[in-house]
Amino acid sequence: MFKLKRKTILLSVMSLLMSAALLGCSEKETATISQEGTEQTEKSITLSWPRDIGTMNPHVYNPSQLIAQSMIYEPLISYKEGGELAPHLAESWSISEDGKEYTFKLRPNVKFSDGTPFNAAIVKKNFDAVMKNSKLHSWLGVINVLEKTEAVDELTFKMTLKEPYYPALQDLSLVRPVRFLGEAGFPDDGDTSKGVKEPVGTGPWMLADYKKDEYAMFTRNPNYWGESPKIEKVTVKIIPDAETRVMAFEKGELDLIYGEGVISMDSFNQLKESGQYATELSEPVGTRNLLLNTSNEKLADLRVRLALQHGFNKQAMVEGITLGLEEKADSILSKNFPYTNIDVEPIEYNVEKATAYLEEAGWKLPPGKTVREKNGQPLELELIYDKTDPIQRAMAETVQAEWGAIGVKLNITGVELTVQIQRRKAGEFDIDFWYNFGAPYDPHSFINVVAEKGWGVSEAHSSLPMKQELDQQVKEALASTDEKKRQELYGSILKTLQEQSAFVPISYIKKTVVYQNGVKDFNFPANRDEHPFYGIDTSK
């Protein structure tokens, strides 16, 4: 290959190679030169993502993207296959008999990417930053019951709860908000809700280069305490359009396309059937639901909600749009989570029932018109969807057509994800797509957000006649130390939500991945929101 003798020539070549490697290179292995003048290879992966990775603040939400946050920041406890909770930054933990005190022994010799030590003091500082803005995180149960935290000694951290909360450890395994920023990343006042100085974490990756809305490049953390990744660099190219992602992949500009709703199922099948690439589907990770806002007077009527659910062919839609790669959902949560293996009555497609419910509710179809009316008002609703998600868009168009056939005018509006979330929180929607959180959040985070205000889900259920009783059952379930009683409460909560139809389950979501044949050892993470780069490798 290259035979260089003079150091000046060597340094020039190295400089040129480093510049060329930043972007536009989709090869799994990039040539580099060692100090001895022999050729080495840099293993790298390039993938696409539909939106900018965000500010990489571990304590806030959108626009920061979970996949990137999890590359940099780590939890005390990690969530493994089958729901196992395993030591991570905490080597071990103990829980007091009353269920209120949690004591964690931290892993020794852990450093942040800048070389500073990870210890109980910095754990407490991160918890303090989260709790300073506790209202922002009120959807997460452990935040609502956290009373105080202590750095007992250098490697012992203790948290005390106001009351028992059985899923506390599961909550600590999430990608956000309780992950750990190094001292150098904190703003002077310690309030991370306003931003961070730099993304310093203990994770296997560091953010090395970034251009907003174009790309982000991650390199291995040289101070990582665990097993170093097999690949040295991950480049995330921001490609908002699903079809453009597929074209880039087919041209070899991407090594993999990974995630939920990142390409159409049709494109996934075409790539699979070509035989040129590797494709995989995960186990179900969540449920696609429509969330009906009962604070809207039209949707406050159970008969209207039932009519809408009976009024579209869910099975046909799932088969047509996901090409059978997702399963029709008959219940709000799939049965592979704890406490969810209960029998609920599915609400099946039945146009006659849908029409009867609307008639009974007083929504009549005037002669010569296509939209039902009541008291001179049309039965007109709006459905908002994430405009970067091709599956949401296709489902919105299908529902629009089918509800039109029963006299309901549905306007569909594609918006940015951040706008979709803002409108949901503000209650500024009639109908929205809403997905449950998945592992390791559910079912406890699901029922908590049904009761906890501020996220739009509880507010969307505000007109249910049994809302107060439902909220009380949620509170009892999360605090219960009696396993049998907890199961009974979950059963009652889930059956009530199913019958009231403010959630309309559509299908069980699966992650998809398509990758070039040079990529190997890909595995879907057990935690729905974790990055998939732990064991991934590339071949020569």
Side-chain angles (χ1 to χ4, degrees):
M1 282 291 181
F2 301 98
K3 296 179 180 179
L4 305 176
K5 295 181 179 180
R6 295 184 181 181
K7 291 183 179 180
T8 54
I9 298 175
L10 175 60
L11 290 172
S12 298
V13 172
M14 288 179 69
S15 177
L16 286 170
L17 287 168
M18 289 176 68
S19 298
L22 285 177
L23 270 182
C25 179
S26 64
E27 296 178 0
K28 269 67 78 181
E29 298 171 356
T30 303
T32 60
I33 308 297
S34 72
Q35 290 183 349
E36 290 77 23
T38 59
E39 181 180 308
Q40 294 182 331
T41 57
E42 179 187 67
K43 292 187 174 184
S44 66
I45 290 288
T46 300
L47 75 154
S48 64
W49 202 248
R51 55 188 63 86
D52 184 74
I53 65 164
T55 59
M56 289 301 92
N57 184 335
H59 303 151
V60 300
Y61 304 93
N62 287 293
S64 291
Q65 297 295 292
L66 290 156
I67 187 174
Q69 286 173 303
S70 68
M71 295 172 71
I72 297 173
Y73 304 110
E74 295 186 298
L76 292 176
I77 297 166
S78 60
Y79 184 91
K80 301 298 185 183
E81 207 65 49
E84 175 193 358
L85 295 174
H88 203 82
L89 291 179
E91 254 187 346
S92 62
W93 57 87
S94 60
I95 307 172
S96 63
E97 288 187 12
D98 64 3
K100 294 182 180 180
E101 293 183 354
Y102 289 70
T103 303
F104 299 90
K105 292 295 182 181
L106 304 182
R107 191 178 297 277
N109 303 316
V110 174
K111 294 180 180 180
F112 287 95
S113 58
D114 64 354
T116 56
F118 172 81
N119 52 37
I122 198 68
V123 170
K124 176 170 172 53
K125 186 166 186 173
N126 276 266
F127 267 86
D128 289 347
V130 171
M131 293 307 295
K132 190 171 185 178
N133 298 282
S134 58
K135 288 184 178 179
L136 182 65
H137 315 297
S138 62
W139 67 275
L140 188 62
V142 71
I143 299 300
N144 296 321
V145 297
L146 185 58
E147 184 173 53
K148 66 176 181 176
T149 60
E150 304 170 60
V152 179
D153 57 41
E154 185 180 3
L155 294 176
T156 306
F157 173 75
K158 182 178 178 181
M159 70 177 192
T160 303
L161 308 183
K162 302 170 189 173
E163 59 190 51
Y165 175 69
Y166 89 86
L169 295 177
Q170 285 91 326
D171 282 358
L172 296 185
S173 71
L174 307 183
V175 170
R176 58 193 183 198
V178 190
R179 292 205 177 187
F180 303 98
L181 177 70
E183 183 66 43
F186 276 87
D188 294 339
D189 63 359
D191 187 356
T192 53
S193 70
K194 302 173 184 176
V196 298
K197 288 184 176 179
E198 54 182 306
V200 181
T202 62
W205 301 96
M206 305 183 302
L207 183 62
D209 191 22
Y210 167 68
K211 188 170 183 180
K212 184 176 172 60
D213 294 325
E214 291 191 24
Y215 67 88
M217 190 183 78
F218 299 84
T219 55
R220 290 192 300 201
N221 175 4
N223 294 307
Y224 189 51
W225 60 271
E227 182 179 351
S228 185
K230 295 175 184 176
I231 51 176
E232 298 167 80
K233 182 175 72 175
V234 175
T235 301
V236 181
K237 289 187 177 181
I238 310 307
I239 306 177
D241 180 68
E243 292 183 7
T244 306
R245 284 177 221 132
V246 174
M247 291 173 61
F249 178 78
E250 290 179 312
K251 289 177 183 177
E253 297 169 2
L254 302 174
D255 295 305
L256 73 161
I257 305 176
Y258 163 83
E260 299 171 27
V262 289
I263 60 174
S264 70
M265 292 297 179
D266 185 56
S267 294
F268 178 86
N269 269 352
Q270 287 180 14
L271 293 171
K272 178 180 180 180
E273 291 167 3
S274 74
Q276 298 180 57
Y277 314 106
T279 60
E280 294 182 40
L281 284 167
S282 74
E283 293 298 313
V285 296
T287 309
R288 297 183 191 277
N289 289 283
L290 292 177
L291 178 63
L292 310 186
N293 190 353
T294 67
S295 66
N296 178 313
E297 185 178 355
K298 298 169 186 175
L299 295 171
D301 191 326
L302 174 59
R303 295 168 295 185
V304 173
R305 300 196 301 272
L306 287 170
L308 295 178
Q309 188 159 184
H310 280 299
F312 75 101
N313 192 334
K314 188 187 305 182
Q315 181 68 45
M317 185 170 79
V318 170
E319 288 180 358
I321 294 172
T322 76
L323 305 180
L325 298 177
E326 292 188 4
E327 306 163 27
K328 177 173 74 80
D330 288 328
S331 56
I332 300 165
L333 296 181
S334 57
K335 294 186 177 183
N336 57 329
F337 298 106
Y339 311 110
T340 62
N341 191 15
I342 61 173
D343 293 324
V344 293
E345 185 175 351
I347 300 174
E348 301 289 1
Y349 175 55
N350 190 319
V351 173
E352 290 183 359
K353 277 190 175 182
T355 301
Y357 275 126
L358 292 175
E359 290 285 336
E360 184 183 333
W363 292 99
K364 307 296 183 179
L365 191 61
K369 292 190 177 183
T370 59
V371 179
R372 293 178 178 272
E373 294 181 3
K374 180 179 179 180
N375 300 326
Q377 295 296 315
L379 184 47
E380 183 174 355
L381 301 164
E382 181 193 34
L383 167 59
I384 59 174
Y385 67 91
D386 175 2
K387 69 179 184 180
T388 68
D389 188 329
I391 295 177
Q392 281 193 19
R393 176 177 178 174
M395 288 185 170
E397 291 172 347
T398 301
V399 171
Q400 181 186 48
E402 294 206 61
W403 284 352
I406 60 172
V408 179
K409 183 179 181 182
L410 183 68
N411 301 313
I412 59 173
T413 306
V415 296
E416 293 288 348
L417 178 62
T418 51
V419 175
Q420 185 182 29
I421 293 169
Q422 288 167 0
R423 287 188 58 179
R424 184 188 307 145
K425 286 182 178 181
E428 296 171 354
F429 71 98
D430 298 330
I431 305 170
D432 186 14
F433 283 94
W434 189 86
Y435 305 161
N436 67 294
F437 304 100
Y441 304 83
D442 289 326
H444 63 279
S445 289
F446 168 74
I447 64 168
N448 183 66
V449 81
V450 167
E452 187 67 37
K453 293 181 179 179
W455 293 87
V457 180
S458 177
E459 291 84 349
H461 289 78
S462 60
S463 293
L464 300 189
M466 70 295 294
K467 182 63 164 66
Q468 187 173 351
E469 179 186 351
L470 191 63
D471 290 352
Q472 181 60 33
Q473 286 182 326
V474 169
K475 183 178 180 180
E476 291 176 12
L478 295 175
S480 175
T481 56
D482 184 328
E483 188 72 18
K484 183 178 178 182
K485 179 65 174 176
R486 195 184 300 154
Q487 180 68 70
E488 291 174 355
L489 287 164
Y490 269 108
S492 177
I493 292 165
L494 294 175
K495 285 180 179 178
T496 297
L497 292 172
Q498 180 86 0
E499 292 165 358
Q500 290 299 310
S501 289
F503 285 118
V504 178
I506 298 173
S507 64
Y508 297 125
I509 305 165
K510 297 181 181 182
K511 285 183 181 288
T512 60
V513 66
V514 182
Y515 51 91
Q516 307 284 355
N517 290 322
V519 176
K520 60 181 183 178
D521 301 332
F522 176 89
N523 290 291
F524 289 103
N527 183 327
R528 182 179 184 179
D529 296 326
E530 281 281 353
H531 69 83
F533 306 119
Y534 280 110
I536 201 169
D537 200 357
T538 60
S539 60
K540 292 185 179 180

